[in-house]
Amino acid sequence: MALNSVDEAFVARLREVLPAAAFREVTPAYLEEPRGRWAGQAGVLVTPDCVEDVAACVRLAAEAKVPVVPYGGGTGLVGGQIAAEGPAPVLLSLERMRKVRGIWPEENVMEVEAGAILSDIHAAAEAEDRLFPLSIAAKGSARIGGMLATNAGGVNVLRYGNARDLCLGLEAVLPDGQVWHGLRRLRKDNMGYDLRDLLIGSEGTLGVITAAVLVLHPKPSGEGTALMAVPDPVAALKLLALAREHLAEGVSAFELMHRAGLEFLAETMPDVRLPFAEPPEWLVLIDIGLAKGLEPAGALEALFAEAFEGGLVSDGMVAQSEAQRAEFWEVRETIPEANRRIGSVSSHDISVPLGELPEFIARGNEAIAALGAFRVNCFGHVGDGNLHYNVFPPKGEQKEAFAGQRDEIKRAVHDLVHALGGSVSAEHGVGRLKVDDLERYGDPVKLSAMRAIKAALDPVGIMNPGAVLRGE
Amino acid sequence: MALNSVDEAFVARLREVLPAAAFREVTPAYLEEPRGRWAGQAGVLVTPDCVEDVAACVRLAAEAKVPVVPYGGGTGLVGGQIAAEGPAPVLLSLERMRKVRGIWPEENVMEVEAGAILSDIHAAAEAEDRLFPLSIAAKGSARIGGMLATNAGGVNVLRYGNARDLCLGLEAVLPDGQVWHGLRRLRKDNMGYDLRDLLIGSEGTLGVITAAVLVLHPKPSGEGTALMAVPDPVAALKLLALAREHLAEGVSAFELMHRAGLEFLAETMPDVRLPFAEPPEWLVLIDIGLAKGLEPAGALEALFAEAFEGGLVSDGMVAQSEAQRAEFWEVRETIPEANRRIGSVSSHDISVPLGELPEFIARGNEAIAALGAFRVNCFGHVGDGNLHYNVFPPKGEQKEAFAGQRDEIKRAVHDLVHALGGSVSAEHGVGRLKVDDLERYGDPVKLSAMRAIKAALDPVGIMNPGAVLRGE
């Protein structure tokens, strides 16, 4: 179905229906994405402040067969928020819908609008002595609607789940401009198909999320963080199993870092304080949150002692203060920025079955070594089987010199992931970056079901065309 | 689209393709359902032992426009497994596909076929020192495929989630007879739409689940169970909050029982040992599972002491042995059987936002009292906001005498649930029993999206016609 670019007549119709405040100038920031791969385009930028105006906008777009690209915080890493090609779309930003509509601490539930920034949601939960556990490095700009649309993951998935596990209900505008009122505060509701989970992770191709009911958790009574040096990824997995044996669900995060990441930090961000004078080859960050009466630092020391006894760890530090916990976390959370400063040739957000992780790392490194003297920085949410496996130019060289090898590198990593039963998009989504990958590695029967669902809900194909599924 | 009954020609075609062992006689058990509301019909009963034969059967049915009714353990309470009307279907039972295909204890993952019985899955997990936490009273006959198709709940949802939260991947035959190979052992996978959660809870109307990857959990190191008498539902909710403050995720189950249930037990099953000589009006069963080094009985006693101090509980017992834990649980788990023996006029599987539970119980009881001298047995998974609110005839009378009031009673309860933002099917599903309710209370935009999805994936309408969505 051929789509039309936004034109003056269309903008005039929008202006008849929406208030003047719902229009903003398209500044360059809206057309950029964090890795600078694409430049976007927009025929008009619309920023409604209520679901009715979102619905009106989508309805007009459907009538005029004009594409709609939903826009959250702009932090997505796969180009889902960027229309680089095709007819100029309506860029529909939820930035003015950022209210916390309600909070029910005794139910551990909160209702927020899609444009709420993650760190504001954290603060609102905190004010009621509750925890909203979804957390990613971009928490200061990511908006919850986009995080749900991409089923964001992050550092606490091990304990609390992905975005989809932290959402009870949605309000959304479907591609025909109708509003689905699905904001239920229910833990159990088996009345019909799971439209909520279908929209979550559909990256704006099946509708626009305008509000959500989120799951809060009681704040752990005491929290603690440790860094432990492990000889290899096998030991890291054994340490994880031991930690869960000791602490059950008390293990909130379990992150793996490679020496390369620490070296990148030292090279590009010397102000970040590194925990060991001599960086170990593999480092694990363990974060725990325990119930009343339990002492986190003591629990981490007991874990370390048993792990040391068993040869799983060679060195370690338990944070002795909140300031030190923040320091440990800063190391982990600034690695992505250090990576950006070094400049990767190719980045991969992959997951494999937990037991296959060591095999993946070993064979991945071999495959990369066969292609050149690249540096690999492999880090991430090892408790979820999710690694960011990023490939960098040799020291002293620039990524641009190796752009010609990017496809080859990506292919080698992704083929290996696929062979091990993994996913080539663990948490970032498909967006526009991985449409080819989805076609190559996705199950063909699932793909055909996805296309049928897309055609059924969005027959004109206006919602975020070119994302997830190839446009026609 | 008009469907055809199974006829001799169709059975002959099936017999050309499937082995003789895949055919069984349709005994009466296949056409009954636990509450005896409907009698089913079946043109032929097919019991394939592999996904290829399931696919072949569905393909032939699609060609011949013959309905297919998937059949698990036959324990569903909403008639999803019973075709009482319309053309005689293929009854497709998964009972011969019950293998555990693999178990990865270090990943906390298991792959099973859809016909595996829940208690066999429990045993297989136990053999590897793991826990598969999904648990319902019918665990000795319910099959995992049906439990996923209906997104079953049960007693451990509070801690471990519903069936959908315990499934990482599916293998399923879609309505055109193609096999979706989605058996991934991944905690994070954002490659495309969430087809898994769409099939889970679709009650066989979008395809047949043939196998699943399930999530296991480490077994808690120590478990404990207590019964505590609470003055009212408000106190029960406060006790729950206190328990979670003490024990965080350590609270595995939190079940509410009303005195009526204990009286029904005494009346119909005098062999079941009741815990209190004088049954309290409201009773809570708390089950906890703690990590290494923590002592469950002591933790429950500390909880009781603080709750007693605060006036939340008036009496209580902490199980002193595994045998006593089993006795406490027997009380809870035999209430449904006692209910059956008394015979309800109308049963309701409802959920409301947690904070609305006391309001629901108070106003529900008023509404029922206005309709007659009925007895109400209200019990269930209060930690999930999910109650089984069942209405019985006055003592000494039979349900049959009140059949004429059933619709009125159901309507009063369901209207109240809806007004409080609840669901009239919390965990049992829609099946054929609640198609009208879904139309009455469901969001119309969601319903129209559901119909569009159904038409897209099953254009001929062969999969479990009449369940969830009204047949044409």
Side-chain angles (χ1 to χ4, degrees):
Chain A
M1 193 119 7
L3 294 169
N4 304 313
S5 278
V6 168
D7 59 15
E8 278 180 34
F10 179 74
V11 173
R13 277 205 298 283
L14 274 180
R15 286 192 178 273
E16 280 167 28
V17 173
L18 301 179
F23 295 86
R24 292 213 172 160
E25 196 197 336
V26 185
T27 57
Y30 288 100
L31 306 177
E32 294 162 357
E33 49 88 33
R35 288 185 180 149
R37 296 256 170 93
W38 293 284
Q41 46 159 352
V44 62
L45 171 63
V46 179
T47 59
D49 72 349
C50 62
V51 62
E52 292 77 15
D53 285 355
V54 174
C57 173
V58 173
R59 229 164 17 236
L60 287 179
E63 277 169 29
K65 297 187 167 50
V66 161
V68 176
V69 175
Y71 192 89
T75 64
L77 294 171
V78 289
Q81 71 277 36
I82 291 290
E85 292 175 355
V90 180
L91 197 61
L92 176 55
S93 168
L94 282 294
E95 67 201 76
R96 289 173 70 223
M97 290 186 67
R98 54 181 178 226
K99 280 197 286 293
V100 173
R101 289 189 185 159
I103 180 159
W104 295 263
E106 76 289 0
E107 294 182 11
N108 284 306
V109 161
M110 177 195 271
E111 181 180 326
V112 297
E113 292 182 343
I117 287 177
L118 181 56
S119 55
D120 293 339
I121 295 174
H122 288 165
E126 175 78 30
E128 299 287 346
D129 199 32
R130 291 293 182 277
L131 173 73
F132 181 62
L134 195 63
S135 189
I136 60 174
K139 54 183 175 272
S141 18
R143 296 177 192 274
I144 192 67
M147 298 189 74
L148 288 165
T150 57
N151 186 29
V155 293
N156 291 326
V157 171
L158 181 66
R159 180 170 189 166
Y160 299 104
N162 291 295
R164 80 167 71 255
D165 302 301
L166 296 168
C167 177
L168 296 179
L170 292 179
E171 174 189 272
V173 175
L174 299 193
D176 60 0
Q178 292 202 80
V179 181
W180 169 41
H181 295 282
L183 289 171
R184 312 191 100 181
R185 309 199 315 266
L186 304 175
R187 307 279 164 168
K188 282 182 172 173
D189 178 17
N190 277 346
M191 286 294 277
Y193 301 163
D194 187 3
L195 192 56
R196 178 190 70 207
D197 281 310
L198 186 62
L199 283 175
I200 294 175
S202 69
E203 305 184 40
T205 64
L206 299 177
V208 187
I209 293 169
T210 55
V213 173
L214 303 178
V215 174
L216 305 178
H217 282 265
K219 278 174 60 187
S221 166
E223 293 176 287
T225 306
L227 289 170
M228 299 190 195
V230 293
D232 53 41
V234 172
L237 289 177
K238 287 185 179 162
L239 179 61
L240 170 62
L242 187 67
R244 300 187 82 173
E245 198 185 299
H246 274 245
L247 299 160
E249 289 100 332
V251 184
S252 305
F254 194 92
E255 298 283 306
L256 184 70
M257 290 172 270
H258 185 258
R259 180 159 56 206
L262 305 177
E263 288 168 355
F264 288 3
L265 274 176
E267 195 175 325
T268 64
M269 305 173 75
D271 289 348
V272 174
R273 188 153 155 199
L274 294 182
F276 297 94
E278 184 66 40
E281 185 177 0
W282 293 102
L283 193 60
V284 161
L285 181 150
I286 309 176
D287 201 76
I288 65 172
L290 301 182
K292 231 170 157 168
L294 295 171
E295 209 281 289
L300 286 167
E301 276 149 23
L303 173 66
F304 177 79
E306 189 174 334
F308 189 80
E309 188 82 11
L312 298 180
V313 298
S314 59
D315 199 353
M317 302 170 70
V318 174
Q320 298 302 322
S321 64
E322 278 304 303
Q324 206 176 15
R325 284 188 68 210
E327 253 180 53
F328 289 3
W329 269 107
E330 194 191 10
V331 173
R332 168 62 186 85
E333 296 219 313
T334 45
I335 286 178
E337 179 55 29
N339 286 344
R340 260 188 293 275
R341 295 187 185 190
I342 297 283
S344 74
V345 180
S346 185
S347 298
H348 315 93
D349 162 43
I350 65 94
S351 64
V352 292
L354 218 52
E356 306 287 356
L357 263 172
E359 173 93 358
F360 166 74
I361 294 174
R363 287 171 59 185
N365 291 354
E366 275 170 35
I368 298 301
L371 296 175
F374 298 104
R375 291 178 293 173
V376 171
N377 185 14
C378 164
F379 67 104
H381 321 298
V382 71
D384 313 318
N386 174 198
L387 291 176
H388 301 302
Y389 187 89
N390 297 352
V391 179
F392 296 84
K395 191 161 173 142
E397 304 203 49
Q398 297 298 311
K399 65 177 177 181
E400 288 73 15
F402 301 89
Q405 280 188 271
R406 175 187 291 167
D407 287 350
E408 193 182 12
I409 292 170
K410 191 181 85 169
R411 185 68 184 272
V413 174
H414 285 182
D415 280 357
L416 175 59
V417 166
H418 187 65
L420 294 172
S423 170
V424 302
S425 179
E427 58 174 10
H428 295 164
V430 177
R432 290 173 173 82
L433 181 65
K434 295 187 180 173
V435 171
D436 290 347
D437 290 304
L438 179 58
E439 289 177 356
R440 182 186 305 275
Y441 301 111
D443 179 85
V445 173
K446 175 174 170 178
L447 268 167
S448 106
M450 285 172 57
R451 290 192 188 102
I453 291 166
K454 169 73 174 175
L457 297 183
D458 185 14
V460 188
I462 61 164
M463 289 308 309
N464 213 4
V468 186
L469 295 168
R470 192 176 301 282
E472 279 170 47
Chain B
M1 193 123 0
L3 294 170
N4 305 312
S5 279
V6 167
D7 61 14
E8 278 178 33
F10 179 73
V11 173
R13 277 204 298 285
L14 275 181
R15 286 193 177 273
E16 279 167 28
V17 173
L18 301 180
F23 295 86
R24 292 215 170 159
E25 196 196 337
V26 185
T27 56
Y30 287 100
L31 306 178
E32 294 161 357
E33 48 88 34
R35 288 184 179 150
R37 296 256 170 93
W38 292 284
Q41 45 159 353
V44 62
L45 170 63
V46 178
T47 60
D49 72 349
C50 61
V51 62
E52 292 77 15
D53 286 355
V54 174
C57 174
V58 172
R59 232 165 13 239
L60 287 178
E63 278 168 29
K65 298 186 167 50
V66 161
V68 175
V69 175
Y71 192 89
T75 63
L77 294 171
V78 289
Q81 72 277 36
I82 291 290
E85 293 174 356
V90 180
L91 198 61
L92 176 55
S93 169
L94 281 294
E95 68 200 77
R96 289 173 70 221
M97 290 185 67
R98 56 182 177 225
K99 279 198 285 294
V100 173
R101 289 188 186 161
I103 179 159
W104 294 264
E106 76 288 2
E107 294 182 12
N108 285 307
V109 161
M110 177 195 270
E111 181 180 325
V112 296
E113 292 182 343
I117 287 177
L118 181 56
S119 55
D120 293 339
I121 295 173
H122 287 166
E126 175 78 31
E128 299 286 346
D129 199 31
R130 291 294 181 277
L131 173 72
F132 181 63
L134 194 64
S135 189
I136 59 174
K139 56 182 174 273
S141 18
R143 296 177 192 273
I144 193 66
M147 298 188 74
L148 288 165
T150 57
N151 186 30
V155 292
N156 291 327
V157 171
L158 180 66
R159 180 171 190 165
Y160 299 104
N162 291 295
R164 78 167 73 254
D165 302 301
L166 296 168
C167 177
L168 296 180
L170 292 178
E171 173 189 273
V173 176
L174 299 192
D176 60 0
Q178 292 202 80
V179 180
W180 170 41
H181 295 283
L183 289 171
R184 313 191 100 180
R185 309 199 316 265
L186 304 175
R187 306 278 165 170
K188 281 182 172 173
D189 177 18
N190 276 347
M191 287 293 278
Y193 302 163
D194 187 3
L195 192 57
R196 177 190 71 207
D197 280 312
L198 186 62
L199 283 174
I200 293 175
S202 69
E203 305 184 39
T205 65
L206 299 178
V208 187
I209 294 170
T210 55
V213 173
L214 304 178
V215 173
L216 305 179
H217 283 265
K219 278 173 59 186
S221 165
E223 293 176 287
T225 306
L227 289 170
M228 298 190 195
V230 293
D232 52 42
V234 172
L237 288 177
K238 287 185 178 162
L239 180 61
L240 171 63
L242 186 68
R244 300 187 81 172
E245 198 185 299
H246 274 245
L247 299 160
E249 290 99 332
V251 185
S252 305
F254 194 92
E255 299 282 306
L256 184 71
M257 292 172 269
H258 184 259
R259 180 159 56 207
L262 304 177
E263 288 169 354
F264 288 4
L265 274 177
E267 195 175 324
T268 63
M269 304 173 76
D271 289 348
V272 174
R273 189 154 155 198
L274 294 182
F276 296 93
E278 183 66 40
E281 185 177 359
W282 292 102
L283 193 60
V284 161
L285 181 150
I286 308 175
D287 200 76
I288 65 172
L290 302 181
K292 232 168 153 170
L294 295 171
E295 209 280 290
L300 286 167
E301 275 149 22
L303 173 66
F304 178 79
E306 189 174 335
F308 189 81
E309 189 82 12
L312 298 181
V313 298
S314 58
D315 199 354
M317 301 171 72
V318 174
Q320 298 302 322
S321 64
E322 279 304 303
Q324 205 175 15
R325 284 188 69 211
E327 252 178 55
F328 289 3
W329 269 107
E330 194 191 9
V331 173
R332 167 62 186 85
E333 297 220 313
T334 45
I335 286 179
E337 179 56 28
N339 286 344
R340 261 188 293 275
R341 294 187 186 189
I342 298 283
S344 75
V345 179
S346 184
S347 299
H348 316 92
D349 162 43
I350 65 94
S351 65
V352 292
L354 217 54
E356 305 287 357
L357 263 172
E359 174 94 358
F360 166 75
I361 293 173
R363 286 171 60 186
N365 290 353
E366 275 170 34
I368 298 302
L371 296 174
F374 297 103
R375 290 179 293 173
V376 171
N377 185 13
C378 164
F379 66 104
H381 320 299
V382 71
D384 313 318
N386 173 200
L387 292 175
H388 301 303
Y389 188 89
N390 297 352
V391 179
F392 296 84
K395 192 160 172 143
E397 304 203 49
Q398 297 297 311
K399 64 177 178 180
E400 288 72 17
F402 300 89
Q405 280 187 271
R406 175 186 291 168
D407 287 349
E408 193 182 13
I409 292 170
K410 190 180 86 169
R411 185 68 183 272
V413 174
H414 284 183
D415 280 357
L416 175 60
V417 166
H418 187 65
L420 294 172
S423 169
V424 301
S425 179
E427 58 174 9
H428 295 164
V430 177
R432 290 172 173 82
L433 181 66
K434 295 187 179 172
V435 171
D436 290 347
D437 291 304
L438 179 58
E439 289 177 357
R440 181 186 307 275
Y441 301 111
D443 179 85
V445 174
K446 175 173 170 178
L447 268 166
S448 107
M450 285 173 57
R451 289 192 188 101
I453 292 165
K454 169 73 174 176
L457 296 183
D458 184 15
V460 188
I462 61 164
M463 288 308 309
N464 213 3
V468 186
L469 295 168
R470 192 176 301 283
E472 281 169 45

